């Protein structure tokens, strides 16, 4: 299935069932008003939605409307949990190499995760308001999963059954604020403002054989100011798959239905695929030339993040956002 949340003037939006080709949509208030209501009772409500989804794709729903990505909030406009990992250790390795720092061996065996703010996600087509270019504005193109209730201590072998939906992420980062925060030894906070998610969330079966081993085996495509920035394959060089990430996050606590777990920046050892964030490009420049030549984002810059199937059809719709100056 494919699902979205339309902006209806309420915090959690209106749950919409979206056709496979992203052309039609239908509200399903008799089943669930919001995405969170659906996730809370997934096993009960999912079969009903599957029947409607089949009818929608066959053109049998007379009350279907044209799907409009511009009306979408993030699929979960707010969530009880947003934990972002760093599953592509290649990316972390580059960060430390550019700083001349050694990387602990445990980074290859124990995932890194930070707790992100989840009370107010940015809509996928909305501007990203920030107060200063001096903060080092960056995008991070990622994938995330939404889970149902996950018991504490779940093993990686049992975690995949708790993954109900996938979506794309722009994990906005303020790179110049990170060093000062990390130096305090207490992690990110101001360096990680609100994130954005793709217009559409999809069940893993929508990806067919591209969903294997709890990984998405497709390129994640990023354009910066209409120019291709990178298209690394999300299934390549992923050190920790989503089942492992979910298991890691649930090691000492249960996860409530609607928890979002992110992959971290998609990164490949094959540099011809490009990058999924400006910081990685700057790191490669620093390693090669001693200093970066690519600037961070400026007000007016636009980033577009999308994933296509083998027939070049958009799977999740696109995150397409402009950075704008925020004035108090």
């Amino acid at each position: 299935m494919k699902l979205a949340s339309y902006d209806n003037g309420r915090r959690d939006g209106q749950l919409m069932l979206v056709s496979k080709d992203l052309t039609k949509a239908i509200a399903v208030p008799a089943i669930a008003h919001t995405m969170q209501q659906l996730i809370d009772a997934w096993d009960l409500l999912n079969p009903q939605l599957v029947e409607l989804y089949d009818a929608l794709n066959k053109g049998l729903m007379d009350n279907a409307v044209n799907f409009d990505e511009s009306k979408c909030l993030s699929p979960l406009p707010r969530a009880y949990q947003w934990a972002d990992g760093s599953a592509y250790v290649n990316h972390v390795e580059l960060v430390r190499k550019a700083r001349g720092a050694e990387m602990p061996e445990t980074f290859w065996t124990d995932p890194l995760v930070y707790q992100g703010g989840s009370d107010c996600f940015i809509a996928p087509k909305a501007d990203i308001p920030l107060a200063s270019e001096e903060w080092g504005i960056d995008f991070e193109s990622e994938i995330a999963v939404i889970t149902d209730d996950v018991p504490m201590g779940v093993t990686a072998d049992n975690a995949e059954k708790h993954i109900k939906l996938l979506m794309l992420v722009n994990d906005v980062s303020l790179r110049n604020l990170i060093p000062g925060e990390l130096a305090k030894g207490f992690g990110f906070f101001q360096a990680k403002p609100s994130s954005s998610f793709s217009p559409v969330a999809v069940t893993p079966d929508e990806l067919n054989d591209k969903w294997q081993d709890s990984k998405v085996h497709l390129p994640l495509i990023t354009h910066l100011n209409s120019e291709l920035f990178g298209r690394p394959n999300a299934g390549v060089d992923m050190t920790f798959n989503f089942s492992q990430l979910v298991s890691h996050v649930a090691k000492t606590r249960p996860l409530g239905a609607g928890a979002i777990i992110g992959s971290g920046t998609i990164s490949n050892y094959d540099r011809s695929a490009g990058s999924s964030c400006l910081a990685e490009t700057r790191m490669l420049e620093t390693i090669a030339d001693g200093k970066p030549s690519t600037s961070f984002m400026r007000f007016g810059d636009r980033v577009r993040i999308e994933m296509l199937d083998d027939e070049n059809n958009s799977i999740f719709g696109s995150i397409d956002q402009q950075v704008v100056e925020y004035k108090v």
Side-chain angles (χ1 to χ4, degrees), residues 1 4 13 40 42 56 84 94 138 142 180 202 205 207 210 212 215 218-219 222 238 260 262 270 274 287 299 309 318:
M1 285 188 301
D40 282 339
W42 182 270
L56 179 64
D84 198 18
L94 277 176
D138 200 356
E142 308 180 7
V202 311
D205 60 347
L207 300 175
K210 302 303 182 182
Q212 291 185 31
K215 301 177 182 179
L218 284 168
T222 303
M238 189 180 192
I260 304 174
D270 179 4
I287 293 167
F299 298 139
D309 63 19
S318 66

Side-chain angles (χ1 to χ4, degrees), residues 192-257:
K192 292 289 187 175
S194 296
S195 299
S196 302
F197 296 85
S198 52
V200 173
V202 311
T203 50
D205 60 347
E206 285 290 329
L207 300 175
N208 299 313
D209 63 348
K210 302 303 182 182
W211 174 251
Q212 291 185 31
D213 305 319
S214 284
K215 301 177 182 179
V216 179
H217 294 265
L218 284 168
L220 183 57
I221 304 166
T222 303
H223 285 83
L224 178 61
N225 295 327
S226 300
E227 293 187 6
L228 179 64
F229 187 82
R231 46 179 301 119
N233 192 302
V236 176
D237 303 320
M238 189 180 192
T239 310
F240 304 104
N241 65 25
F242 280 109
S243 292
Q244 291 170 311
L245 291 176
V246 171
S247 174
H248 177 76
V249 174
K251 180 177 179 177
T252 62
R253 70 188 78 177
L255 306 181

Side-chain angles (χ1 to χ4, degrees), residues 5 11 155 198-199 207 289 313:
S5 294
R11 289 180 184 269
T155 65
S198 52
L207 300 175
D289 306 321
N313 300 309

Side-chain angles (χ1 to χ4, degrees), residues 65-327:
V65 299
N66 292 330
F67 179 56
D68 186 350
E69 291 186 24
S70 69
K71 293 182 179 179
C72 290
L73 302 170
S74 286
L76 277 172
R78 55 179 175 169
Y80 293 114
Q81 177 95 255
W82 160 228
D84 198 18
S86 191
Y88 299 82
V89 178
N90 155 58
H91 176 71
V92 183
E93 192 175 36
L94 277 176
V95 173
R96 298 184 73 87
K97 185 176 181 180
R99 296 205 317 255
E102 293 293 324
M103 190 175 75
E105 283 298 316
T106 55
F107 281 33
W108 294 103
T109 58
D110 197 33
L112 293 172
V113 176
Y114 85 89
Q115 184 84 59
S118 59
D119 50 340
C120 189
F121 295 131
I122 303 174
K125 305 295 185 184
D127 291 338
I128 301 170
L130 293 166
S132 175
E133 294 178 339
E134 300 303 313
W135 290 344
I137 304 166
D138 200 356
F139 56 85
E140 291 192 59
S141 304
E142 308 180 7
I143 301 170
V145 299
I146 301 176
T147 73
D148 62 5
D149 288 301
V150 181
M152 180 170 64
V154 68
T155 65
D157 289 341
N158 291 324
E160 184 170 328
K161 66 183 180 183
H162 294 287
I163 296 172
K164 300 306 179 185
L165 294 166
L166 297 104
M167 50 190 178
L168 306 183
V169 189
N170 179 14
D171 178 40
V172 182
S173 295
L174 304 176
R175 300 295 186 180
N176 292 340
L177 300 185
I178 290 176
E181 289 200 294
L182 293 184
K184 297 177 181 179
F186 216 55
F188 300 125
F189 190 81
Q190 291 175 338
K192 292 289 187 175
S194 296
S195 299
S196 302
F197 296 85
S198 52
V200 173
V202 311
T203 50
D205 60 347
E206 285 290 329
L207 300 175
N208 299 313
D209 63 348
K210 302 303 182 182
W211 174 251
Q212 291 185 31
D213 305 319
S214 284
K215 301 177 182 179
V216 179
H217 294 265
L218 284 168
L220 183 57
I221 304 166
T222 303
H223 285 83
L224 178 61
N225 295 327
S226 300
E227 293 187 6
L228 179 64
F229 187 82
R231 46 179 301 119
N233 192 302
V236 176
D237 303 320
M238 189 180 192
T239 310
F240 304 104
N241 65 25
F242 280 109
S243 292
Q244 291 170 311
L245 291 176
V246 171
S247 174
H248 177 76
V249 174
K251 180 177 179 177
T252 62
R253 70 188 78 177
L255 306 181
I260 304 174
I261 312 297
S263 65
T265 305
I266 310 298
S267 180
N268 289 170
Y269 280 105
D270 179 4
R271 302 304 174 202
S272 67
S275 298
S276 295
C277 68
L278 290 164
E280 183 169 290
T281 298
R282 288 167 58 88
M283 288 176 240
L284 290 168
E285 292 166 348
T286 298
I287 293 167
D289 306 321
K291 62 179 181 179
S293 54
T294 298
S295 65
F296 287 120
M297 296 182 80
R298 305 292 187 188
F299 298 139
D301 284 348
R302 179 174 292 277
V303 62
R304 180 184 175 94
I305 302 168
E306 192 167 22
M307 182 172 279
L308 307 177
D309 63 19
D310 288 339
E311 287 74 45
N312 288 322
N313 300 309
S314 183
I315 299 171
F316 301 88
S318 66
I319 299 172
D320 195 341
Q321 300 176 298
Q322 186 175 44
V323 176
V324 299
E325 184 174 10
Y326 176 76
K327 296 181 179 180

